[in-house]
Amino acid sequence: MSDNKNLKPGWKVWRFDQMATNVNARIDNPSESGMTHYVGLEHLDSDSLKIRRWGTPSDVEATKLVFKAGDIIFGRRRAYQRKLGVAEFDGICSAHAMVLRAKPDVVTPEFLAFFMQSDNFMNRAVEISVGSLSPTINWKTMAVQEFSLPPLDEQRALLDVLQQIEDTIETTLFLHTAAINLAKSQIADEFSTLQQVQIGSVCKFRGGNAFGPQMQGRKSGEIPFIKVSDMNLPANRTRILEAENYVNADDLQKMRAKPFEAGSVVFAKVGAALFLNRRRISVAPTCIDNNMMGAIPDGSKIISEFLYLVLQQIDFKTIVQEGAIPSVNQGTLEKVMIPFTTLERQEEIVSRWHQTDEAIQKINARLEAHRQLKRQALILAGGGHH
């Protein structure tokens, strides 16, 4: 344990079980719980305290946990996903969560939720998780972890700041969702008036290449090498602007790999990432790994941004090959019917989309700035672990 003399004035060290109660009220038959809300880990958003989605008890079986309004639902399984939410209603939740209730003599309930979002708390939660496939936290281990907290009056002052930032993030998220929905409806309206062709008649599909570990980890080079995880990078919203790995011409020769030309649209072709509808336009010659596929537009028929828009509209769930790992077959994809029109009309549709997309990118930038501010405020709230 650290020397308490190093603590900020007024701060104290507490075991986690002195800060919170683990509410372990179980219900064996969810449909007989009398509740109307079921919250699974899939209903919790990373780094957000608000619970926006839920199911019903009739959706699930097996033992679940009971929670009350104001309780914190913390995903103890795969804690690295940083999932916790504050309940605004009574209900039942997954047994892969912990239901936590603040001990108000030590920590105000609202402050505890923010404290648990801090890197200090989350990093410790990941450290004490056990198991390789689905690392999970057990309460006995969590209970004895020690953290330093400010006094209650300082908690309330920090809470005011954190709540204001959180409210701003929520408002910006609402705007972001509204703008995306508007863009989707605009595109759907435009597309509804167009003729249909098979997508394989206007572009060529090709899979990526396996790149050995010796080529990974290069932060610079001639050609970006894109993996599925790169599709999550914030700067890559529409276009590939950065990569985690790069390869050189001699690597390509050894692997007999051919880069995708600028303007190709790349996407995941296997696994859960298939269903996230993430597509990206390459802005330079780009290599992709073998879990991905690229669409190369026939420039005499279709422009790359229009191809991007039609690929965004394809729901891969409808064409996926079921198996241990879901995948998309190139032959099946080539036969998918898409909206199509003249190059001139494509340019007009893309131009209108650009205007909406520009507004979305500006909201994205604001959202990231607010989240950065919250991260800085959480450092003040997080104290230190012992």
Side-chain angles (χ1 to χ4, degrees), residues 188 190-199 201-202 306 310 313-314 335-341:
E190 298 263 22
F191 282 177
S192 66
T193 63
L194 305 182
Q195 63 170 314
Q196 300 263 315
V197 300
Q198 286 189 352
I199 192 169
S201 68
V202 296
F306 190 82
V310 297
Q313 300 289 307
I314 297 173
K335 294 184 177 67
V336 171
M337 301 300 287
I338 60 160
F340 184 70
T341 185

Side-chain angles (χ1 to χ4, degrees), residues 132-368:
S132 53
L133 288 177
S134 293
T136 303
I137 299 163
N138 66 64
W139 170 248
K140 282 185 178 176
T141 308
M142 175 54 79
V144 297
Q145 302 306 308
E146 292 184 328
F147 300 94
S148 55
L149 284 178
L152 290 169
D153 57 346
E154 203 171 318
Q155 289 178 30
R156 293 185 194 103
L158 281 166
L159 184 59
D160 283 345
V161 174
L162 285 162
Q163 195 59 63
Q164 285 177 34
I165 298 170
E166 190 75 358
D167 291 346
T168 306
I169 289 172
E170 283 298 318
T171 303
T172 312
L173 265 176
F174 178 81
L175 281 174
H176 186 252
T177 304
I180 287 174
N181 289 338
L182 175 63
K184 283 180 180 173
S185 65
Q186 284 176 336
I187 295 296
D189 287 348
E190 298 263 22
F191 282 177
S192 66
T193 63
L194 305 182
Q195 63 170 314
Q196 300 263 315
V197 300
Q198 286 189 352
I199 192 169
S201 68
V202 296
C203 72
K204 293 269 191 299
F205 289 101
R206 181 158 59 85
N209 297 89
F211 285 85
Q214 74 278 10
M215 298 179 193
Q216 298 185 23
R218 285 200 200 131
K219 297 298 179 189
S220 62
E222 297 168 26
I223 300 160
F225 158 42
I226 301 300
K227 298 190 288 188
V228 174
S229 57
D230 289 314
M231 306 288 269
N232 299 326
L233 291 173
N236 291 352
R237 295 292 183 203
T238 302
R239 292 169 178 75
I240 297 169
L241 302 176
E242 59 186 85
E244 290 289 315
N245 302 278
Y246 286 81
V247 292
N248 298 316
D250 57 334
D251 300 324
L252 298 183
Q253 267 191 323
K254 288 175 193 166
M255 302 297 295
R256 295 182 181 174
K258 184 182 174 187
F260 285 80
E261 62 196 52
S264 300
V265 184
V266 303
F267 50 90
K269 69 174 184 178
V270 299
L274 261 178
F275 308 126
L276 297 177
N277 273 36
R278 291 192 183 121
R279 326 279 188 249
R280 300 288 185 266
I281 303 171
S282 61
V283 297
T286 301
C287 287
I288 61 175
D289 81 5
N290 55 354
N291 293 314
M292 297 179 67
M293 189 182 288
I296 306 156
D298 178 340
S300 68
K301 297 177 182 175
I302 193 167
I303 61 175
S304 62
E305 287 166 310
F306 190 82
L307 177 60
Y308 166 83
L309 292 177
V310 297
L311 277 163
Q312 282 287 77
Q313 300 289 307
I314 297 173
D315 181 1
F316 281 178
K317 284 180 189 167
T318 61
I319 58 168
V320 74
Q321 286 184 303
E322 292 297 344
I325 301 175
S327 62
V328 165
N329 174 275
Q330 184 173 324
T332 305
L333 185 53
E334 285 169 349
K335 294 184 177 67
V336 171
M337 301 300 287
I338 60 160
F340 184 70
T341 185
T342 63
L343 288 172
E344 186 180 14
R345 179 89 189 273
Q346 289 176 37
E347 293 276 9
E348 290 171 6
I349 291 170
V350 164
S351 176
R352 283 191 286 275
W353 166 72
H354 267 308
Q355 292 171 8
T356 313
D357 189 56
E358 200 174 307
I360 291 170
Q361 298 308 327
K362 284 178 181 172
I363 297 170
N364 270 339
R366 277 165 55 192
L367 193 55
E368 185 49 39

Side-chain angles (χ1 to χ4, degrees), residues 21-26 38-44 51 63-67 71-79 81 83-85 92-100 116 135-139 142:
T21 301
N22 179 37
V23 182
N24 202 19
R26 294 174 174 266
Y38 164 71
V39 176
L41 298 191
E42 69 276 14
H43 299 128
L44 299 175
I51 299 172
T63 301
K64 304 298 174 204
L65 301 176
V66 179
F67 63 84
D71 287 346
I72 296 168
I73 302 170
F74 171 49
R76 66 190 184 94
R77 188 179 191 179
R78 300 192 181 102
Q81 294 180 338
K83 290 188 169 189
L84 72 142
I92 60 171
C93 69
S94 166
H96 295 305
M98 279 181 193
V99 177
L100 300 168
M116 289 177 65
T136 303
I137 299 163
N138 66 64
W139 170 248
M142 175 54 79

